[in-house]
Amino acid sequence: MAATRSVFVAVPSLDIALFSGSNNQHGCSDPGIIVDRKTGELFCFAVWMNGKPRKHQWKDDGSESGFEIGKSAQFLMVRSQDDGLTWSRPENANEYSQDNNMSGLRYALQCSAMALCIVPPAFAAESAAVTKFLPIEQSGELVLFDAAAHDFSVIRNYTASWKKDSDLTPVVKSVVKDGQRFVEFTYRGSRGAACSTFWYEPVPRAATKSRSAGLKFTIDYEGNDFAKVSVNAQFTDGTGITAPLTLEPGCHDYVFRKGFRRAKHPPQWGLLSYFWLSATASGNGNPLMFRLKRVVMLQEPAKRQTPTSEATDLFGKRLFNPRLKHVRWGEGEFPARQHARLYVDYDAPERTRRTARVFAEKYYAHTGVTLDTLPATEEPPADGILLRVANAARHAGRQVEPRKEGYCLRVEADRVAITGFDEPGLFYGLVTFFQLMNNSMKIREKMPVPCVDIYDWPDLPFRLVSAQGTGAFKNQTPRDDRGIEYLMEWTDRFVAGQKANILFLDISSRVKYERRPEFNGSERTYSLTDLERFGEFCRDRFVEVCPAWQVGGHANWWLLGYHPELREKGYRNQSDVTHPEHNRIVFDCMLDVIEALDCKYVSPKSDEWWGPCKDGETPDELLRGKTRAEAFLDFHVELNDWLKPKGVTMLMYHDMLVPYHNGKKFDLYKIADRFPNDVIINYWGGYDIDKGIRFLAERGFPIWIHSTGSFIRLGEEEKKIVSGAGKILYSFGNDKTGGLLEEYSDFNNMYASFRLLDYAWNLYDYTEPEPGRLTTIKNIMAITPNPYAGERVEPIEMSGVLTRSFNEFLKDVKPDDYDATDEPVVISPGVREIGNIPMQMEPTGKHNCIALGKGDREVSVPIDGKCASLVFLHTAFINDPQDHGARPVMGRYWLYGWPCGEYVIYYEDGETAVLPVRLTMNIRRFDTDSRNRATNNNRYVYTVKDANQGDVHLFQWEWVNPKPDKRILKVVARHDTELDVTLILLAVSGRSVWQN
């Protein structure tokens, strides 16, 4: 009943399926109905929970960090302006938060006399009826706003009162310029933010075989200062995205397709509910004036989307990454274990011989065969393997053009010839040979390689992989420390093994510095001797290491914890590059690493300077007499001048130099013309990328794409400009930054690195990966070479030690999904070929797995035999996704995945080996998103359909036994008690030891 009136109203049903797409696992509580006493408008609201059965919204993990659906309670509301006869569509107020704190989601519930005031953007206008625009069709376009056809008074203009002390207000009027109608926006006031919201009736569906793909704004602007207007779009599924529009002189179209780079899911533009344009001011007002002519919903051809639940399997197919340009398959196979001769030209240079040594090491690791290196004659040898660098080679029976870093590889039944057109090309032929050996995913006694004729080369000269996010703050001691050996093995697989030639590596907080020992807390893992080994290892594989430090905006990651006096006043994370000691300290640390790695590149990164402010401090107007633009320029000039005599080239990120990104801050973009243009600019993302690339190219900078998001696709003009491309990976690309929920995201996924390296290699003939391709490539890359591997694999008898029914476990942990069925999954019993490995599966009606939760007793599995490897089929469940031990900060302790237990190997002589089981590295939760199922170390993921036709994943991990001559007595599976997770082991098989 509305306050102060004796009127009964029909309380509406909140259609929560608008936000979740289903009506499962929902709960609503705390409803209310109140009235705005000034306007008579009714508000009906409730708190909605999704995906948290039997959870209270503000107890335990009922409400998690963040405002997303499924993480915390959602504040839903509907309105009525006719005493409840009709109601608006539900609005989700949580989506108005722009970050993970309450600054973007301030509720001012003034309950005196039952009046309501809610001040997020959607509700902050004057209390009035919500009038909505009706889209119209014009010349085949879906027009959301046309200044000549729509009533501009429908735009809701207001001050953003959720911003403290905000008084900025839009002033909007209709104008005519050059015979065309516009709506002109100016701003009154001095500080805060001002918004103009465009509400819509349901947007019409896209045309048949088309989909809505973004907004196009036609805006006229008379300034030349790259002014910015923010646009925020909100959708009926409760999601929203924000992006800036950087304005240029004249009347132009501005396209808005995507939001912030870390967005996990693409926007569904067909669900647009409203958008707003906003401007900001920091105390001096905003002189911005622009004119809006039209807003159009972009349409593009619809693409077939692979359903999330579809686990397309290409396991065992002949897949390569990067893709090969020219391939002709032959008949027969080359039996690698029957050939032990390696031929190299008698006058081959040392560089060729180094590649031959790497080849011989890898050949032994894969086959157990030690190659004899012999001098080659003019004619190809009758048998064995020939490695050669030459200006001429044949493919498909004809002479082919020698390409930079290209090669020809020919495999016949009794011989192999790899011809590189230069030294790197020879190495890349080597990489393809071992991909050929592995991609069948089946070990046979003779280790056969299929006969083939290949001609291949890269399109871009620089292919990057960036390893970041493995650092830590002062004295955050890692709980796992696998040392430089792990970094070498990772680089061999995911950098050199993908034909990348640049490793951008931030280990600034992991190095034990000698010139600056005050930095050496317990978080340090790599000595300078380690780096010397690593540098040589990379050079052998034609990988140049570019060590990187966060200088400036993110200096808190490694510098400020040890030297807090270098922090710039007024900013939390910014180092003061004008401090007299700053460069001496930073350059000393850099010099240690430069000398150890003997590197050709160094990066101060230099992104996102002058970020979060320090509470209670006011930044100085000048830095020791310099403007911030001058300080930024001077630091980089000094660093570049210091590096050049050492033969080192500087790389840095783009954003502070480009007006389309962060370059408007303190007008830094204006110094780009004075910046040393021998610095290589790494373009990591943002908006208007094509414009930003051209802005830098016009000033003579070399440019490499260094994507922090999933992908950057270049236009035809930009392809002529850019000379390198690659992906930024965090936490070794093992997706650990997604936390224990394991939601799918391209942002920190090795898949995105595979895509961009394929793109860099095949820039002019790139094909989007088909479903299942990237998962299979990751399976192939998970193979650990095993010189002792035999063909025969036998299941281990486990029936006497199994502790749980897997189906009963599923019903216990997911009762809402499986209460209605006795068999959540059906796995046929007996010995089954899973990933080309025979494994014994027990009947589902009895105990058929070992389930180990926190506090459960360990279980011993008898082996009693010699094995070249053990193959585990296991999976996991996260009992507490908000486990305090897996909060984001703990990622700095667990570098190689979240702890899930361990297997302990007991040899006959009493020696043991501990095998860590790590979530996201060699196991995942059984209900992880199918697109996200592959890991860095799982050779295969066996996916079965459950009773609801969802996917249940079992992960196959092969551990290579370094001591195959010793008998293994048993494997003990045990929980490590670190996190509230359950480790489920279903089967173990042992591989025979090959006898040479």
Side-chain angles (χ1 to χ4, degrees):
M1 187 172 67
T4 74
R5 288 180 290 172
S6 298
V7 178
F8 287 94
V9 298
V11 177
S13 170
L14 293 177
D15 186 3
I16 51 184
L18 287 171
F19 301 102
S20 69
S22 69
N23 283 298
N24 296 324
Q25 297 195 8
H26 295 310
C28 287
S29 64
D30 301 319
I33 182 166
I34 50 184
V35 65
D36 186 321
R37 297 177 67 186
K38 294 181 179 179
T39 67
E41 188 171 14
L42 297 175
F43 300 83
C44 182
F45 58 87
V47 173
W48 165 51
M49 299 282 288
N50 175 257
K52 292 182 176 291
R54 298 180 297 281
K55 297 287 186 180
H56 194 280
Q57 61 261 36
W58 60 70
K59 291 183 180 179
D60 301 322
D61 66 344
S63 185
E64 308 171 24
S65 175
F67 294 93
E68 299 97 317
I69 296 172
K71 286 197 171 183
S72 64
Q74 308 291 297
F75 188 93
L76 302 188
M77 184 173 67
V78 293
R79 308 154 172 256
S80 175
Q81 298 168 9
D82 52 13
D83 281 340
L85 294 176
T86 60
W87 294 87
S88 69
R89 291 166 66 86
E91 297 163 349
N92 185 354
N94 286 46
E95 293 301 326
Y96 301 114
S97 173
Q98 300 305 306
D99 49 32
N100 284 335
N101 57 52
M102 293 300 293
S103 64
L105 184 61
R106 293 186 59 193
Y107 298 103
L109 293 173
Q110 300 175 348
C111 296
S112 173
M114 295 297 287
L116 172 69
C117 173
I118 296 182
V119 295
F123 315 123
E126 296 293 330
S127 296
V130 179
T131 307
K132 300 182 179 182
F133 287 103
L134 183 65
I136 58 177
E137 296 279 350
Q138 288 183 351
S139 303
E141 291 185 314
L142 180 58
V143 179
L144 303 186
F145 176 77
D146 187 323
H150 285 102
D151 179 4
F152 77 93
S153 67
V154 176
I155 303 170
R156 302 179 68 198
N157 301 293
Y158 49 94
T159 298
S161 55
W162 66 94
K163 293 275 190 180
K164 185 178 180 181
D165 299 326
S166 182
D167 66 353
L168 201 66
T169 304
V171 178
V172 181
K173 64 181 180 180
S174 179
V175 299
V176 175
K177 180 184 178 185
D178 299 330
Q180 300 183 75
R181 178 70 62 180
F182 294 84
V183 172
E184 182 179 276
F185 292 80
T186 57
Y187 296 89
R188 182 176 61 235
S190 62
R191 61 173 53 83
C195 300
S196 300
T197 299
F198 297 65
W199 282 86
Y200 284 92
E201 295 297 339
V203 176
R205 291 180 177 271
T208 304
K209 296 183 179 181
S210 297
R211 66 185 182 104
S212 300
L215 303 181
K216 180 177 69 175
F217 296 82
T218 303
I219 295 176
D220 180 63
Y221 184 62
E222 295 182 354
N224 60 358
D225 57 349
F226 299 99
K228 293 186 184 295
V229 174
S230 290
V231 56
N232 180 295
Q234 296 291 320
F235 307 96
T236 58
D237 63 356
T239 62
I241 57 172
T242 301
L245 304 180
T246 303
L247 305 183
E248 297 180 316
C251 191
H252 301 285
D253 291 335
Y254 299 87
V255 173
F256 173 35
R257 292 180 182 270
K258 63 178 184 176
F260 186 55
R261 67 181 188 270
R262 290 182 173 88
K264 289 185 175 180
H265 307 289
Q268 300 296 313
W269 286 100
L271 303 179
L272 181 69
S273 177
Y274 62 90
F275 68 84
W276 74 78
L277 301 173
S278 64
T280 61
S282 57
N284 298 317
N286 191 331
L288 178 67
M289 186 276 286
F290 67 95
R291 305 179 186 95
L292 176 65
K293 182 182 179 183
R294 296 173 89 224
V295 182
V296 173
M297 178 67 79
L298 297 172
Q299 313 274 308
E300 66 182 19
K303 298 178 181 178
R304 178 185 179 272
Q305 299 294 316
T306 301
T308 298
S309 61
E310 184 177 322
T312 305
D313 196 344
L314 299 179
F315 186 81
K317 303 295 184 183
R318 289 174 173 172
L319 299 182
F320 301 85
N321 205 70
R323 293 174 220 239
L324 308 176
K325 285 186 167 65
H326 299 284
V327 183
R328 176 173 289 189
W329 294 101
E331 297 292 332
E333 296 172 323
F334 173 80
R337 274 181 168 160
Q338 293 182 353
H339 290 273
R341 295 190 181 94
L342 176 64
Y343 295 94
V344 179
D345 288 333
Y346 74 93
D347 59 349
E350 175 56 24
R351 176 63 260 190
T352 302
R353 296 184 182 277
R354 285 172 66 186
T355 299
R357 289 193 290 272
V358 172
F359 182 90
E361 292 169 4
K362 286 183 167 293
Y363 198 85
Y364 175 80
H366 282 81
T367 67
V369 174
T370 301
L371 293 173
D372 293 327
T373 303
L374 304 170
T377 61
E378 288 296 323
E379 295 299 320
D383 66 352
I385 302 158
L386 171 66
L387 302 183
R388 172 174 284 165
V389 175
N391 291 324
R394 299 180 69 82
H395 168 70
R398 63 181 180 85
Q399 204 78 12
V400 293
E401 178 185 355
R403 301 277 194 159
K404 184 175 176 60
E405 297 189 335
Y407 64 93
C408 284
L409 166 61
R410 185 173 180 83
V411 179
E412 300 177 17
D414 53 2
R415 62 185 176 181
V416 174
I418 306 177
T419 303
F421 298 121
D422 50 25
E423 296 288 357
L426 179 63
F427 180 79
Y428 300 136
L430 175 160
V431 170
T432 299
F433 177 81
F434 289 107
Q435 287 194 15
L436 268 171
M437 185 175 284
N438 288 336
N439 62 14
S440 71
M441 301 298 288
K442 186 171 185 177
I443 292 177
R444 289 188 283 161
E445 203 68 20
K446 296 178 181 180
M447 293 297 291
V449 180
C451 292
V452 69
D453 191 2
I454 296 169
Y455 172 40
D456 194 26
W457 68 90
D459 288 341
L460 285 181
F462 300 102
R463 285 94 51 203
L464 296 76
V465 174
S466 178
Q468 305 189 38
T470 59
F473 294 124
K474 184 177 181 179
N475 291 329
Q476 291 182 331
T477 309
R479 304 287 291 275
D480 278 344
D481 182 4
R482 303 185 189 180
I484 201 67
E485 286 75 17
Y486 179 83
L487 185 58
M488 292 164 69
E489 185 267 343
W490 185 88
T491 301
D492 196 45
R493 281 197 288 162
F494 297 113
V495 185
Q498 292 290 301
K499 301 174 185 170
N501 56 4
I502 301 289
L503 173 58
F504 188 96
L505 181 65
D506 185 349
I507 51 174
S508 55
S509 65
R510 296 296 185 188
V511 174
K512 300 173 184 176
Y513 299 106
E514 292 184 358
R515 286 180 172 87
R516 292 286 174 173
E518 72 269 21
F519 280 92
N520 297 340
S522 62
E523 77 279 10
R524 306 288 159 158
T525 57
Y526 304 126
S527 69
L528 296 184
T529 301
D530 288 336
L531 297 189
E532 289 175 4
R533 287 179 58 206
F534 183 65
E536 184 175 357
F537 177 88
C538 290
R539 283 189 294 277
D540 282 349
R541 288 152 179 78
F542 293 90
V543 173
E544 291 293 338
V545 183
C546 175
W549 289 258
Q550 284 283 8
V551 180
H554 297 289
N556 58 309
W557 277 106
W558 72 282
L559 177 64
L560 301 183
Y562 287 93
H563 283 282
E565 74 279 5
L566 299 183
R567 182 179 63 83
E568 183 180 326
K569 178 186 173 186
Y571 296 96
R572 290 208 312 259
N573 305 326
Q574 176 74 30
S575 64
D576 181 359
V577 295
T578 67
H579 190 287
E581 291 299 312
H582 180 277
N583 289 3
R584 280 194 281 269
I585 293 169
V586 172
F587 290 9
D588 277 351
C589 294
M590 288 183 171
L591 188 57
D592 271 357
V593 177
I594 289 170
E595 291 176 347
L597 287 173
D598 190 20
C599 56
K600 295 181 180 178
Y601 303 98
V602 157
S603 179
K605 293 192 177 179
S606 301
D607 61 315
E608 298 175 337
W609 282 37
W610 298 296
C613 293
K614 177 75 171 176
D615 290 343
E617 291 185 2
T618 301
D620 294 330
E621 184 175 349
L622 298 176
L623 298 175
R624 291 174 176 80
K626 297 180 180 180
T627 67
R628 282 175 171 77
E630 290 169 339
F632 186 87
L633 175 63
D634 289 351
F635 167 76
H636 290 93
V637 168
E638 184 176 346
L639 175 59
N640 196 48
D641 289 345
W642 180 76
L643 291 172
K644 286 167 66 174
K646 298 172 176 59
V648 177
T649 298
M650 186 168 86
L651 277 65
M652 65 173 285
Y653 289 139
H654 77 283
D655 57 292
M656 301 307 295
L657 290 177
V658 172
Y660 305 98
H661 205 151
N662 292 324
K664 274 288 289 181
K665 193 175 289 187
F666 301 111
D667 282 342
L668 257 68
Y669 75 94
K670 294 181 179 179
I671 66 167
D673 292 317
R674 298 156 55 198
F675 210 85
N677 64 5
D678 54 354
V679 174
I680 298 171
I681 304 298
N682 282 3
Y683 213 109
W684 58 258
Y687 310 97
D688 296 318
I689 291 175
D690 53 345
K691 295 178 181 179
I693 288 173
R694 292 195 293 270
F695 177 88
L696 293 168
E698 288 165 1
R699 288 153 180 81
F701 292 100
I703 303 166
W704 297 351
I705 294 298
H706 199 179
S707 173
T708 192
S710 61
F711 199 69
I712 292 177
R713 184 181 293 277
L714 299 171
E716 292 304 314
E717 287 302 311
E718 288 70 51
K719 288 178 182 179
K720 300 173 185 176
I721 296 170
V722 168
S723 56
K727 174 72 175 78
I728 296 175
L729 293 171
Y730 298 86
S731 299
F732 296 115
N734 66 9
D735 314 318
K736 180 166 59 65
T737 55
L740 295 180
L741 290 175
E742 294 197 17
E743 297 172 334
Y744 176 75
S745 171
D746 278 339
F747 172 63
N748 186 44
N749 199 303
M750 190 66 75
Y751 299 156
S753 181
F754 294 158
R755 284 185 67 196
L756 273 156
L757 292 174
D758 187 20
Y759 188 62
W761 190 272
N762 295 298
L763 183 67
Y764 301 111
D765 189 25
Y766 176 72
T767 302
E768 287 288 344
E770 67 269 35
R773 171 183 164 79
L774 297 176
T775 297
T776 304
I777 294 297
K778 205 169 184 181
N779 295 155
I780 295 169
M781 292 295 106
I783 291 177
T784 300
N786 187 351
Y788 313 107
E791 180 175 348
R792 182 170 49 85
V793 181
E794 295 184 353
I796 302 298
E797 172 59 43
M798 295 176 57
S799 60
V801 299
L802 302 175
T803 65
R804 191 78 196 272
S805 160
F806 186 45
N807 273 332
E808 290 302 319
F809 175 80
L810 293 176
K811 287 168 68 69
D812 283 351
V813 298
K814 285 202 159 187
D816 288 351
D817 288 355
Y818 301 127
D819 266 355
T821 179
D822 291 329
E823 285 193 305
V825 297
V826 176
I827 302 175
S828 300
V831 177
R832 307 196 56 193
E833 287 279 329
I834 298 176
N836 294 329
I837 302 291
M839 308 204 83
Q840 174 70 45
M841 307 302 293
E842 296 296 328
T844 55
K846 64 174 188 176
H847 287 181
N848 63 344
C849 69
I850 295 170
L852 292 171
K854 197 171 185 179
D856 288 344
R857 295 178 60 183
E858 64 186 31
V859 177
S860 179
V861 179
I863 304 295
D864 195 25
K866 293 182 178 180
C867 299
S869 65
L870 291 176
V871 183
F872 300 91
L873 186 69
H874 57 192
T875 192
F877 185 70
I878 315 303
N879 303 308
D880 179 11
Q882 294 306 305
D883 194 310
H884 191 66
R887 63 195 189 280
V889 67
M890 295 303 293
R892 302 166 197 153
Y893 298 87
W894 300 107
L895 304 181
Y896 314 101
W898 299 111
C900 188
E902 55 196 18
Y903 303 132
V904 184
I905 308 296
Y906 285 81
Y907 293 101
E908 60 184 341
D909 61 359
E911 193 173 359
T912 61
V914 178
L915 316 183
V917 181
R918 294 291 178 262
L919 286 158
T920 73
M921 186 64 80
N922 53 25
I923 195 171
R924 287 192 187 277
R925 46 189 290 159
F926 69 77
D927 55 349
T928 195
D929 189 307
S930 290
R931 295 167 297 176
N932 213 34
R933 66 190 185 275
T935 74
N936 286 4
N937 288 353
N938 286 114
R939 67 180 304 279
Y940 183 62
V941 182
Y942 179 46
T943 300
V944 294
K945 291 292 183 183
D946 67 10
N948 304 314
Q949 293 304 299
D951 289 337
V952 172
H953 304 297
L954 310 178
F955 302 89
Q956 192 178 72
W957 173 43
E958 184 164 7
W959 166 73
V960 173
N961 183 9
K963 299 170 183 177
D965 55 324
K966 291 186 179 183
R967 182 179 297 275
I968 297 175
L969 299 181
K970 62 182 179 180
V971 175
V972 172
R974 66 191 186 195
H975 203 284
D976 51 30
T977 73
E978 293 288 348
L979 300 177
D980 188 7
V981 300
T982 299
L983 169 63
I984 302 153
L985 177 62
L986 292 103
V988 181
S989 294
R991 185 181 293 281
S992 62
V993 179
W994 177 66
Q995 302 297 325
N996 189 348

